[in-house]
Amino acid sequence: MKYRKLGKTNFEISEISLGTWQVGGGWGGTFDYAAASQIIHTALDQGINFIDTADVYDNGLSEAAVGKAIKERSERIYVATKCGKHINPHINENYHPESLRKYVEASLKNMGLETLDLIQLHCPPTEVYKRDEIFELFDRLKEEGKIQNLGVSVEQISEAMDAMQYENVTTVQMIFNMFRFKPSESFFQAAAKKNIGIIVRVPLASGLLAGKLTKNSSFDPEDHRTFNRDGAAFDKGETFSGVPFEIGLEAVELLKEVFDGSESLAAWALRWILMFPEVSTIIPGASKVSQVLSNVSASSLPAIAPEKMEEVKRIYDQYIRQYVHHQW
């Protein structure tokens, strides 16, 4: 495992880390505590030292599993969670410092921690990024020792740019992958100038870039890949990165030809993200131990040749750009 600095936090974290949206076994069904523990401990055994969770993942069960696993280890593990998604309806008018404070304190209790290494606003409405009183709250929480750093998880680049105007924002979490090029065009450079850590989520475009889905693939009714393709429940960019499923499958077949060999397309898709030095870490999820091991393998792959990087861009320009580039 290789390590990179997480912006102004100065944390040295694994370049492949662990996202825990589906750590209890996947979307739909009952949370599997044993599976969650096995996945988290496997990740830590592989050198991962940064775990991303959220209070809404399995309604707190993901956070609890992370907290329990950390207590069973002796090494330094950095924990990031998120707050705000419990607000219902999830609109700007319902964001108040008092409620956000309660969510942070609930996460601390749920994980059995005295302080959070990183708390992130969880894709709040766009208007929230311009509200000083929301960001000032986290200065007070830091003074109280309840958090060490503040970050934001965003849908749009414009939201990230607004958030970075606040000095206490240390990280930005966003979607970036072979089907979502836009952040690399200008945002990465702006973030680097402000020493903002970049955490990449949805690196495999909800499984599309793993290269194993087909037009006949079916998903659990509770899986967002079933019900959110058009953004019925939340931003559609979170589902297949906003790419129409059939179009994504066509592009994936071409990417398989570019990266033909013994390593999986999933590993190369992660390695492609690591080609951008501004990225601090990637947080692919895992519902199986085998997925953790596949994800970690990307860290040891060689650099991708310039001509292959160009091929990825050509495929993006031809198949994907028209669907996603203008939206996020």
Side-chain angles (χ1 to χ4, degrees):
M1 178 60 66
K2 300 181 181 70
Y3 299 83
R4 300 185 180 195
K5 186 166 288 188
L6 184 62
K8 290 188 284 187
T9 70
N10 286 321
F11 298 157
E12 290 286 338
I13 64 171
S14 46
E15 62 182 16
I16 302 291
S17 295
L18 180 66
T20 60
W21 187 356
Q22 68 267 45
V23 76
W27 297 284
T30 304
F31 189 86
D32 188 330
Y33 290 93
S37 178
Q38 188 178 22
I39 288 167
I40 295 169
H41 279 291
T42 298
L44 300 177
D45 290 342
Q46 294 297 313
I48 286 175
N49 70 346
F50 181 82
I51 302 176
D52 177 87
T53 186
D55 55 3
V56 292
Y57 293 172
D58 279 292
N59 199 29
L61 298 180
S62 174
E63 276 190 338
V66 170
K68 181 176 183 296
I70 289 171
K71 288 180 174 60
E72 295 167 346
R73 308 290 293 212
S74 59
E75 64 265 51
R76 176 67 163 104
I77 301 160
Y78 298 96
V79 180
T81 191
K82 311 182 198 75
C83 64
K85 278 285 189 175
H86 274 307
I87 294 172
N88 186 25
H90 193 237
I91 57 175
N92 172 52
E93 291 76 11
N94 287 343
Y95 265 72
H96 305 290
E98 297 80 10
S99 57
L100 289 170
R101 169 184 285 276
K102 289 179 181 177
Y103 294 137
V104 171
E105 292 172 347
S107 288
L108 284 168
K109 183 177 180 181
N110 191 25
M111 289 192 280
L113 299 175
E114 294 183 0
T115 188
L116 296 172
D117 295 313
L118 177 65
I119 183 68
Q120 302 158 98
L121 286 169
H122 198 173
C123 298
T126 301
E127 302 91 334
V128 171
Y129 294 95
K130 297 182 183 296
R131 291 177 55 189
D132 294 354
E133 76 275 19
I134 297 297
F135 288 84
E136 288 167 358
L137 162 70
F138 296 95
D139 282 332
R140 294 195 292 276
L141 290 172
K142 186 173 182 179
E143 290 168 1
E144 295 167 17
K146 294 178 179 177
I147 70 167
Q148 298 300 309
N149 294 279
L150 169 66
V152 293
S153 183
V154 305
E155 299 289 1
Q156 301 177 27
I157 291 174
S158 60
E159 295 169 343
M161 298 298 286
D162 286 340
M164 288 197 305
Q165 302 311 306
Y166 292 96
E167 282 300 315
N168 61 350
V169 170
T170 62
T171 65
V172 169
Q173 182 179 142
M174 60 174 26
I175 298 174
F176 177 61
N177 57 49
M178 289 177 171
F179 287 171
R180 187 74 75 84
F181 262 64
K182 193 174 181 179
S184 65
E185 293 186 346
S186 59
F187 172 73
F188 281 5
Q189 295 89 330
K193 286 182 180 178
K194 287 184 171 286
N195 195 21
I196 297 293
I198 296 176
I199 302 168
V200 170
R201 73 172 186 277
V202 196
L204 301 180
S206 306
L208 264 178
L209 289 168
K212 296 180 179 179
L213 299 180
T214 71
K215 63 181 180 180
N216 297 319
S217 295
S218 61
F219 308 99
D220 189 283
E222 297 298 316
D223 190 323
H224 70 107
R225 293 174 293 184
T226 299
F227 62 78
N228 195 58
R229 296 189 189 189
D230 295 318
F234 44 84
D235 193 297
K236 71 176 183 179
E238 299 281 349
T239 304
F240 299 129
S241 293
V243 179
F245 184 60
E246 293 76 12
I247 299 297
L249 290 176
E250 290 183 40
V252 163
E253 289 306 308
L254 295 174
L255 289 169
K256 286 180 180 178
E257 295 176 10
V258 175
F259 294 99
D260 185 33
S262 59
E263 297 294 338
S264 67
L265 178 61
W268 283 116
L270 297 177
R271 185 65 183 91
W272 180 87
I273 295 170
L274 294 174
M275 292 295 292
F276 296 82
E278 299 90 348
V279 170
S280 301
T281 190
I282 312 172
I283 52 169
S287 57
K288 302 174 183 176
V289 165
S290 60
Q291 292 169 345
V292 174
L293 299 176
S294 173
N295 294 339
V296 167
S297 72
S299 186
S300 59
L301 289 176
I304 298 173
E307 56 268 24
K308 289 192 175 184
M309 295 292 288
E310 280 299 315
E311 272 296 292
V312 174
K313 185 177 185 301
R314 183 189 66 77
I315 292 168
Y316 173 83
D317 287 341
Q318 182 176 349
Y319 287 85
I320 307 300
R321 178 181 287 270
Q322 63 182 303
Y323 297 102
V324 303
H325 207 80
H326 63 288
Q327 296 200 60
W328 295 282

